[in-house]
Amino acid sequence: MTPRAPQLTIRPVRADEYERLGKLLVAAYAALPGMPQPDEQPAYYAMLADVAGRVARPSLTVFVATNEGGDLLGSIDFIADMRHYGSGGPASEISDAAGVRLLAVDGAFRGQGAGKALTAFCIERARALGKARVVLHTTRAMQTAWAMYEALGFVRFPELDFQQGSLAVFGFQLGLLPG
């Protein structure tokens, strides 16, 4: 008998989950080898922890993945209007795209497909909104995410690269229009 894959639910984060999700994001990013630590980039980690602040931004929805037991597995920020993307570089000037940011999965649940499911959910949401592409940023410290994005068809978009302190941040895009 083949074990069945865990059932995931993807939905907008609830207000009672903001603090817990913020802690999950901070822990997930701080655990990445080569990622600057909270004391090195306190403003960045404060932004990760501030789920309520991100949810309040126009055109941004924080989606979470939960399992059958209701555990919070991870999250992703979906930005329907790139003017509200909120990272460095010229990404906010792209008019035909949706963006995804801040993908994170709780260390206890990595490798179970939550990150891929959250990303695929956002790709389909962008497609349903008639967007031509999905844009995102990642770093060399995020090797698992980088490989997953490439496997999903994302390609480098160097025009969006920027530096965040000492950290090089790399742009990617996925075309959605039929070719």
Side-chain angles (χ1 to χ4, degrees):
M1 187 163 161
T2 305
R4 110 184 141 78
Q7 182 67 29
L8 298 179
T9 299
I10 298 175
R11 59 168 174 75
V13 66
R14 296 186 316 245
D16 66 328
E17 297 169 322
Y18 291 173
E19 183 177 350
R20 189 165 37 122
L21 181 60
K23 289 178 181 176
L24 184 158
L25 278 134
V26 167
Y29 278 67
L32 293 168
M35 188 73 178
Q37 293 301 294
D39 62 332
E40 297 170 289
Q41 291 197 1
Y44 182 74
Y45 281 92
M47 181 270 302
L48 289 174
D50 186 15
V51 176
R54 292 197 320 278
V55 167
R57 290 191 10 224
S59 299
L60 189 147
T61 306
V62 177
F63 288 103
V64 295
T66 60
N67 63 14
E68 292 165 326
D71 295 308
L72 201 57
L73 308 183
S75 71
I76 194 167
D77 288 11
F78 177 81
I79 303 93
D81 182 337
M82 291 299 291
R83 290 177 296 175
H84 305 286
Y85 188 68
S87 79
S92 63
E93 299 168 15
I94 301 171
S95 62
D96 66 349
V100 293
R101 293 193 64 208
L102 307 180
L103 174 66
V105 176
D106 185 312
F109 298 104
R110 287 203 185 112
Q112 297 179 24
K116 185 175 182 180
L118 283 160
T119 305
F121 177 86
C122 289
I123 291 167
E124 289 311 309
R125 187 168 179 85
R127 189 173 275 122
L129 291 171
K131 300 296 182 177
R133 54 189 160 167
V134 177
V135 172
L136 62 83
H137 285 93
T138 194
T139 71
R140 296 274 183 213
M142 301 169 186
Q143 283 300 305
T144 300
W146 187 304
M148 179 195 68
Y149 296 140
E150 288 180 332
L152 288 170
F154 282 86
V155 295
R156 287 279 293 114
F157 191 2
E159 295 89 336
L160 298 185
D161 293 357
F162 68 96
Q163 282 291 129
Q164 179 181 302
S166 63
L167 187 66
V169 182
F170 301 92
F172 281 80
Q173 67 179 336
L174 173 69
L176 299 178
L177 297 179

PDB file of all heavy atoms in Angstrom, residues 23 26 47 64 80 99 128 133 141 164 168:
ATOM      1  N   LYS A  23       7.066  34.522  13.370  1.00  0.00           N
ATOM      2  CA  LYS A  23       8.150  33.759  14.013  1.00  0.00           C
ATOM      3  C   LYS A  23       8.636  32.640  13.094  1.00  0.00           C
ATOM      4  O   LYS A  23       9.836  32.363  13.025  1.00  0.00           O
ATOM      5  CB  LYS A  23       7.678  33.205  15.355  1.00  0.00           C
ATOM      6  CG  LYS A  23       7.503  34.279  16.396  1.00  0.00           C
ATOM      7  CD  LYS A  23       6.975  33.715  17.705  1.00  0.00           C
ATOM      8  CE  LYS A  23       6.801  34.839  18.723  1.00  0.00           C
ATOM      9  NZ  LYS A  23       6.207  34.378  19.965  1.00  0.00           N
ATOM     10  N   VAL A  26      10.905  34.272  10.383  1.00  0.00           N
ATOM     11  CA  VAL A  26      12.195  34.661  10.938  1.00  0.00           C
ATOM     12  C   VAL A  26      13.065  33.417  11.158  1.00  0.00           C
ATOM     13  O   VAL A  26      14.241  33.392  10.771  1.00  0.00           O
ATOM     14  CB  VAL A  26      12.024  35.470  12.244  1.00  0.00           C
ATOM     15  CG1 VAL A  26      13.344  35.611  12.992  1.00  0.00           C
ATOM     16  CG2 VAL A  26      11.432  36.842  11.924  1.00  0.00           C
ATOM     17  N   MET A  47      10.667  43.134   9.038  1.00  0.00           N
ATOM     18  CA  MET A  47       9.678  43.053   7.963  1.00  0.00           C
ATOM     19  C   MET A  47       9.127  41.627   7.849  1.00  0.00           C
ATOM     20  O   MET A  47       7.927  41.423   7.683  1.00  0.00           O
ATOM     21  CB  MET A  47      10.324  43.493   6.640  1.00  0.00           C
ATOM     22  CG  MET A  47       9.407  43.485   5.435  1.00  0.00           C
ATOM     23  SD  MET A  47       9.380  41.914   4.522  1.00  0.00           S
ATOM     24  CE  MET A  47      11.074  41.691   4.078  1.00  0.00           C
ATOM     25  N   VAL A  64      -1.152  30.941   3.388  1.00  0.00           N
ATOM     26  CA  VAL A  64      -0.517  29.914   4.206  1.00  0.00           C
ATOM     27  C   VAL A  64      -0.940  28.543   3.714  1.00  0.00           C
ATOM     28  O   VAL A  64      -2.014  28.381   3.127  1.00  0.00           O
ATOM     29  CB  VAL A  64      -0.861  30.054   5.706  1.00  0.00           C
ATOM     30  CG1 VAL A  64      -0.300  31.344   6.270  1.00  0.00           C
ATOM     31  CG2 VAL A  64      -2.346  29.951   5.960  1.00  0.00           C
ATOM     32  N   ALA A  80      -0.563  41.111  -6.384  1.00  0.00           N
ATOM     33  CA  ALA A  80      -1.321  41.190  -7.642  1.00  0.00           C
ATOM     34  C   ALA A  80      -0.928  42.400  -8.476  1.00  0.00           C
ATOM     35  O   ALA A  80      -1.068  42.384  -9.694  1.00  0.00           O
ATOM     36  CB  ALA A  80      -2.825  41.220  -7.350  1.00  0.00           C
ATOM     37  N   GLY A  99       3.649  39.215  -8.491  1.00  0.00           N
ATOM     38  CA  GLY A  99       4.880  38.848  -7.814  1.00  0.00           C
ATOM     39  C   GLY A  99       4.629  37.907  -6.660  1.00  0.00           C
ATOM     40  O   GLY A  99       3.529  37.866  -6.106  1.00  0.00           O
ATOM     41  N   ALA A 128      -5.007  33.363 -13.571  1.00  0.00           N
ATOM     42  CA  ALA A 128      -6.439  33.689 -13.505  1.00  0.00           C
ATOM     43  C   ALA A 128      -6.679  35.195 -13.564  1.00  0.00           C
ATOM     44  O   ALA A 128      -7.726  35.639 -14.053  1.00  0.00           O
ATOM     45  CB  ALA A 128      -7.051  33.112 -12.224  1.00  0.00           C
ATOM     46  N   ARG A 133       3.188  37.304 -16.578  1.00  0.00           N
ATOM     47  CA  ARG A 133       4.306  36.617 -15.940  1.00  0.00           C
ATOM     48  C   ARG A 133       4.222  36.752 -14.425  1.00  0.00           C
ATOM     49  O   ARG A 133       3.488  37.585 -13.899  1.00  0.00           O
ATOM     50  CB  ARG A 133       5.637  37.146 -16.446  1.00  0.00           C
ATOM     51  CG  ARG A 133       5.793  38.644 -16.323  1.00  0.00           C
ATOM     52  CD  ARG A 133       7.039  39.123 -17.040  1.00  0.00           C
ATOM     53  NE  ARG A 133       6.961  40.551 -17.327  1.00  0.00           N
ATOM     54  CZ  ARG A 133       7.978  41.272 -17.713  1.00  0.00           C
ATOM     55  NH1 ARG A 133       9.158  40.715 -17.870  1.00  0.00           N
ATOM     56  NH2 ARG A 133       7.834  42.549 -17.965  1.00  0.00           N
ATOM     57  N   ALA A 141      21.614  31.714  -0.857  1.00  0.00           N
ATOM     58  CA  ALA A 141      21.367  31.030   0.415  1.00  0.00           C
ATOM     59  C   ALA A 141      20.107  30.168   0.349  1.00  0.00           C
ATOM     60  O   ALA A 141      19.930  29.257   1.151  1.00  0.00           O
ATOM     61  CB  ALA A 141      21.240  32.049   1.549  1.00  0.00           C
ATOM     62  N   GLN A 164      21.123  43.641  -1.194  1.00  0.00           N
ATOM     63  CA  GLN A 164      20.485  43.947   0.093  1.00  0.00           C
ATOM     64  C   GLN A 164      21.590  43.863   1.135  1.00  0.00           C
ATOM     65  O   GLN A 164      21.901  42.774   1.600  1.00  0.00           O
ATOM     66  CB  GLN A 164      19.363  42.955   0.380  1.00  0.00           C
ATOM     67  CG  GLN A 164      18.677  43.186   1.706  1.00  0.00           C
ATOM     68  CD  GLN A 164      17.603  42.159   1.923  1.00  0.00           C
ATOM     69  OE1 GLN A 164      16.693  42.030   1.127  1.00  0.00           O
ATOM     70  NE2 GLN A 164      17.726  41.409   3.002  1.00  0.00           N
ATOM     71  N   ALA A 168      23.540  39.394  -2.246  1.00  0.00           N
ATOM     72  CA  ALA A 168      23.110  39.535  -3.640  1.00  0.00           C
ATOM     73  C   ALA A 168      21.742  38.889  -3.791  1.00  0.00           C
ATOM     74  O   ALA A 168      21.520  37.751  -3.354  1.00  0.00           O
ATOM     75  CB  ALA A 168      24.119  38.866  -4.570  1.00  0.00           C
TER      76      ALA A 168
END
